[in-house]
Amino acid sequence: MILLYPFQRSADWGNKVEKLTVRSAYRTALNLMDHCGRRYSVLLDPEDYLPRSSLIEAFPPLGVGQEIMVGIDGASVGFDPSQINGLPDKKLRGLWLEWLEFMDAEEFSCLLEAIDEPERLIGLGPGYTPAGDDFLVGWIMALRFTGRKKSLLTIEREMLDRKTSWFSSEMIKDALEGRFWKRGIEMVSAIADGDATRVLEKTDSITKWGHLSGKAWLAGLAYGLELGE
């Protein structure tokens, strides 16, 4: 059995050696599943950090369904997926309102029809992670960012596995538990700091993420911020 030794990890990946199954393998990312169905990821690029992920120098040849071990004990903590500080600086409202314009695209018309019933967004729309799921995660992050944790969307976790892909289901579960991707945390940090230049830089980076995923996520974040106004 192959044993991987990452050199850095997210704060929510514990110190024990994990036996994991490869669910998907890409050029810069391995997505792995434990015996409980939870996602773990081993990455090459620190910009791709997300909950329960780690960094490694290179991947050996691996195939979907292969079992591996990940020795995480010597890895330093390089990212905290739950570290959201500050509150939105309303001076930047004009910038985040522009993200709502992404919803004018024909690909997102189905989301607008379901937006009043958030659970209908699960698994809805195009994309490897369906656009509705990305929108929901942005929305949930806005609720955390504005301190409205008690107003979190009512989503039955058991429903997620039935309505969307495994990766998306895990992404939404993480968001509901207050854990998010690095790009998102950097964006809300820039908004809290009132740093318009950094917000524009992060917007450019996020809109290039996936075919539609980044735009759907930004629209969801803006929608959630607006609900807090």
Side-chain angles (χ1 to χ4, degrees):
M1 181 177 292
I2 291 176
L3 179 58
L4 301 184
Y5 289 100
F7 64 87
Q8 196 178 92
R9 64 181 173 85
S10 59
D12 58 340
W13 189 328
N15 288 324
K16 66 179 181 178
V17 173
E18 295 280 357
K19 183 178 179 181
L20 304 164
T21 303
V22 178
R23 284 293 302 259
S24 55
Y26 301 98
R27 184 175 60 85
T28 61
L30 289 173
N31 294 315
L32 314 166
M33 184 178 68
D34 72 3
H35 67 284
C36 296
R38 294 246 69 176
R39 178 208 48 78
Y40 289 75
S41 296
V42 180
L43 313 168
L44 298 183
D45 187 346
E47 288 302 305
D48 293 339
Y49 253 132
L50 66 162
R52 294 182 312 286
S53 60
S54 60
L55 299 181
I56 200 167
E57 295 288 350
F59 298 141
L62 291 168
V64 173
Q66 187 170 349
E67 288 191 340
I68 66 172
M69 302 287 283
V70 180
I72 209 76
D73 188 48
S76 62
V77 174
F79 169 65
D80 185 347
S82 61
Q83 192 66 38
I84 300 177
N85 297 314
L87 291 170
D89 187 330
K90 296 181 181 179
K91 295 196 300 290
L92 301 184
R93 184 172 180 241
L95 291 179
W96 74 63
L97 283 176
E98 294 180 6
W99 304 337
L100 292 175
E101 296 175 9
F102 293 140
M103 300 300 288
D104 295 336
E106 183 178 350
E107 296 96 329
F108 292 149
S109 60
C110 58
L111 306 190
L112 291 173
E113 296 170 2
I115 205 164
D116 291 332
E117 300 177 61
E119 287 191 344
R120 288 180 57 202
L121 291 169
I122 301 169
L124 192 63
Y128 170 69
T129 54
D133 298 345
D134 294 305
F135 186 93
L136 274 175
V137 171
W139 186 350
I140 294 167
M141 191 168 200
L143 293 175
R144 292 275 177 176
F145 185 27
T146 54
R148 291 176 290 132
K149 296 180 182 179
K150 293 183 179 179
S151 302
L152 284 175
L153 302 172
T154 302
I155 295 174
E156 295 181 14
R157 287 162 172 76
E158 294 75 15
M159 178 188 297
L160 291 170
D161 295 334
R162 299 196 306 270
K163 294 192 66 174
T164 193
S165 67
W166 168 75
F167 187 92
S168 268
S169 174
E170 288 295 291
M171 179 178 71
I172 297 172
K173 289 174 186 175
D174 284 333
L176 291 170
E177 293 163 6
R179 294 195 291 271
F180 303 93
W181 62 330
K182 182 179 180 181
R183 285 177 173 83
I185 287 179
E186 289 178 340
M187 173 61 85
V188 298
S189 174
I191 294 173
D193 291 342
D195 190 335
T197 299
R198 193 151 53 100
V199 169
L200 290 171
E201 291 173 351
K202 296 302 176 186
T203 299
D204 182 62
S205 172
I206 291 173
T207 54
K208 294 175 181 175
W209 182 258
H211 176 51
L212 295 170
S213 290
K215 292 179 179 179
W217 183 88
L218 286 169
L221 181 68
Y223 185 76
L225 292 176
E226 281 300 288
L227 290 181
E229 289 293 307

